[in-house]
Amino acid sequence: MSEAVLLRQFEEKAQQIRAECDHLLAERFKCTESVGRLKADAGMPPADPDREAYQIDRLRRLAETSGLNPRFAEKVLELIIGEVIRNHRSISRRA
């Protein structure tokens, strides 16, 4: 098999994985939007620092066992958590 064919196969696989990640993130944000509504209705704060710390620690361990750079994985999760908190604050203001 030629290098060009292999390259195309790897690129297609990477694109497929990217699409799957996008779909998973969309599903995750649908869930966290529901969490935000429940928190707002219950008068709970948008952020939960203990849960966030637990998630980061858990992700770091998962990253290490799967061969992913733990710092990179942590940065991605921090970005996601930040967006979730912004969404929860927005939901809370509207409630």
Side-chain angles (χ1 to χ4, degrees), residues 5-20:
V5 170
L6 283 173
L7 177 62
R8 189 172 57 250
Q9 288 176 345
F10 283 127
E11 289 172 338
E12 288 172 2
K13 181 66 175 176
Q15 185 62 29
Q16 177 186 357
I17 292 168
R18 172 57 198 214
E20 291 170 9

Side-chain angles (χ1 to χ4, degrees), residues 34-48 51-52 84 88 91-92:
S34 295
V35 168
R37 278 192 236 107
L38 290 169
K39 283 183 171 186
D41 291 346
M44 297 171 69
D48 182 347
R51 178 164 168 69
E52 294 156 23
V84 168
H88 286 190
I91 291 167
S92 183

Side-chain angles (χ1 to χ4, degrees), residues 48-61:
D48 182 347
D50 291 337
R51 178 164 168 69
E52 294 156 23
Y54 167 78
Q55 287 180 319
I56 289 170
D57 184 57
R58 180 176 172 270
L59 178 69
R60 196 177 295 126
R61 289 191 312 268

Side-chain angles (χ1 to χ4, degrees), residues 9 22 27 32 36 41 48 56-57 59 63-65 70 81 85:
Q9 288 176 345
D22 289 346
E27 285 299 310
T32 58
D41 291 346
D48 182 347
I56 289 170
D57 184 57
L59 178 69
E64 288 171 355
T65 61
I81 289 172
I85 291 170

